[in-house]
Amino acid sequence: FWLLRTGVRGRRSPTPRARCRCRHRHALMPSLAAFSDLASEYDGFIFDQFGVMHNGATALDGAPALVARLAAAGKRLGILSNSSKRKEWSLRELPKLGFSADHFVAAAVTTSGEEAWHALGAEWRGKACVWLSKKDGDGVSDYLDGTGVGLADVERADFLLASGTNVVRDGASVLAVDCEQSGDVTPFEDLFSRAIARALPMICANPDFVSPPKPGKAMTYQPGHIAARYEELGGRVIYYGKPHPQHFEACVAGLGLPKERVLHIGDSMHHDVAGAVRAGVPVAFIAGGIEHEKLGIPSGELPSAAALRALCEEFCAIPTHTVALARWDAPVMDKLDDDRGKRA
């Protein structure tokens, strides 16, 4: 099972953070007591990683215990993550963060980087790219191995590949740029102009705009950030990963369950909630994740109805449940519904 092998291709992303034009009114439905109450309502659970299970360095409070309890209850678990690295790297990292890889169904674990890697081998073998990447390291340096894709300067390349934001590789040089920490896309402008003049597409292996800070560090800017700039300049971007519904649907298929019996758990309103809603997959929004400052809450608390409503209006997507954290005893709110009070 892989998205590529089921015929799913990358998709262009909708304009990020577009203001919702719908004008439906919402009333907050009665709260469930805790995340534990959701366990009996679903047979499968798909986890986002960063901001839900861990912060890239350590497990988030209660998340390993939640995964273990769901697995012990016979629930089928998957991972759908916007990470530029491949699936095997993510699975190797799980034990270091306190999670057992054996708790997850292998066919339902994937990353945006894995999906892009398969597409490179199937559709771009024998071609060359300018590679916007991370610094050398585990899961980075060998990413192109097995794809049949080489490196070339922008005048000879067939496409751009964005899997990181602080290195540009063209086969002749490795140029360090200051974007991952600063968000400054200026160092890419000349490259992008020349690539667009040649109508080169960009493959984006991670649609995320930013990544939450690891302990003691600052937020970092991800490939979706520079891909959005490429589109603003007139370039064409092929995205792999969330929020595209096809990737949710394929992950659900890996669990072998009907989608109404699967709950996706994520903290990004754009990538997780809006994507799951479009795919028709129930979704639990982790309010204490990347959106917590916008909601005006510290991690571990639920937002006010007004704050949640405003965020839903912004992204034109309503989560099935809103959860403080991915923790067994975390408080849960039910779905925002219309004023007639019908239960979601």
Side-chain angles (χ1 to χ4, degrees):
F1 161 75
W2 286 113
L3 304 183
L4 181 65
R5 296 173 188 174
T6 58
V8 175
R9 297 168 61 92
R11 295 291 187 268
R12 286 177 63 92
S13 175
T15 302
R17 303 185 180 96
R19 185 70 182 180
C20 177
R21 296 185 181 276
C22 56
R23 289 295 181 266
H24 42 277
R25 295 176 295 168
H26 308 298
L28 191 63
M29 297 307 298
S31 294
L32 297 173
F35 195 107
S36 56
D37 295 318
L38 298 178
S40 62
E41 296 192 17
Y42 300 96
D43 301 317
F45 295 82
I46 297 173
F47 285 83
D48 177 29
Q49 287 199 87
F50 297 92
V52 174
M53 295 172 63
H54 58 79
N55 59 18
T58 59
L60 297 178
D61 181 36
L66 171 63
V67 168
R69 293 188 73 159
L70 291 173
K75 306 299 179 179
R76 296 177 67 79
L77 308 181
I79 293 174
L80 183 58
S81 176
N82 278 357
S83 168
S84 298
K85 296 182 180 179
R86 296 194 60 197
K87 165 187 175 177
E88 288 78 6
W89 182 89
S90 293
L91 289 173
R92 287 199 309 268
E93 291 295 300
L94 288 178
K96 301 176 186 177
L97 298 167
F99 299 93
S100 170
D102 293 336
H103 287 156
F104 296 92
V105 177
V109 175
T110 193
T111 67
S112 54
E114 183 75 22
E115 298 158 22
W117 184 88
H118 282 286
L120 291 174
E123 301 177 29
W124 298 93
R125 186 172 295 274
K127 305 294 185 178
C129 70
V130 178
W131 183 17
L132 317 180
S133 75
K134 297 177 181 291
K135 295 178 181 177
D136 284 330
D138 185 26
V140 176
S141 305
D142 60 351
Y143 181 72
L144 290 180
D145 291 358
T147 65
V149 172
L151 299 177
D153 62 54
V154 69
E155 303 304 331
R156 296 184 298 116
D158 299 291
F159 64 97
L160 306 183
L161 170 63
S163 65
T165 57
N166 56 12
V167 176
V168 178
R169 307 169 191 264
D170 65 5
S173 64
V174 177
L175 175 66
V177 296
D178 180 22
C179 179
E180 185 175 80
Q181 300 298 324
S182 69
D184 181 14
V185 296
T186 304
F188 299 108
E189 296 286 296
D190 179 64
L191 170 65
F192 286 179
S193 295
R194 294 162 66 192
I196 291 169
R198 296 192 57 226
L200 301 186
M202 173 186 284
I203 293 177
C204 181
N206 180 355
D208 280 358
F209 307 119
V210 297
S211 181
K214 296 179 181 179
K217 296 185 178 180
M219 174 186 74
T220 56
Y221 290 85
Q222 299 302 312
H225 175 68
I226 57 176
R229 178 57 179 163
Y230 195 66
E231 285 187 308
E232 288 174 1
L233 294 172
R236 180 171 70 92
V237 180
I238 304 169
Y239 289 91
Y240 289 88
K242 302 175 293 186
H244 306 294
Q246 295 86 352
H247 304 301
F248 289 87
E249 293 162 358
C251 199
V252 169
L255 290 176
L257 296 169
K259 61 184 177 182
E260 64 269 15
R261 300 300 303 166
V262 175
L263 183 68
H264 177 70
I265 306 167
D267 68 330
S268 167
M269 195 52 93
H270 174 67
H271 295 100
D272 294 299
V273 177
V277 167
R278 287 198 294 272
V281 177
V283 56
F285 169 50
I286 302 299
I290 196 168
E291 312 282 10
H292 78 94
E293 291 185 356
K294 184 176 288 189
L295 290 167
I297 58 170
S299 181
E301 294 186 8
L302 288 171
S304 68
L308 179 58
R309 184 180 300 113
L311 196 62
C312 290
E313 290 275 348
E314 179 179 350
F315 290 92
C316 207
I318 306 171
T320 315
H321 311 281
T322 298
V323 189
L325 295 169
R327 193 175 64 201
W328 187 255
D329 61 351
V332 177
M333 295 193 305
D334 232 351
K335 184 177 181 179
L336 289 171
D337 206 349
D338 63 33
D339 285 342
R340 292 169 295 180
K342 292 183 179 179
R343 193 168 185 80

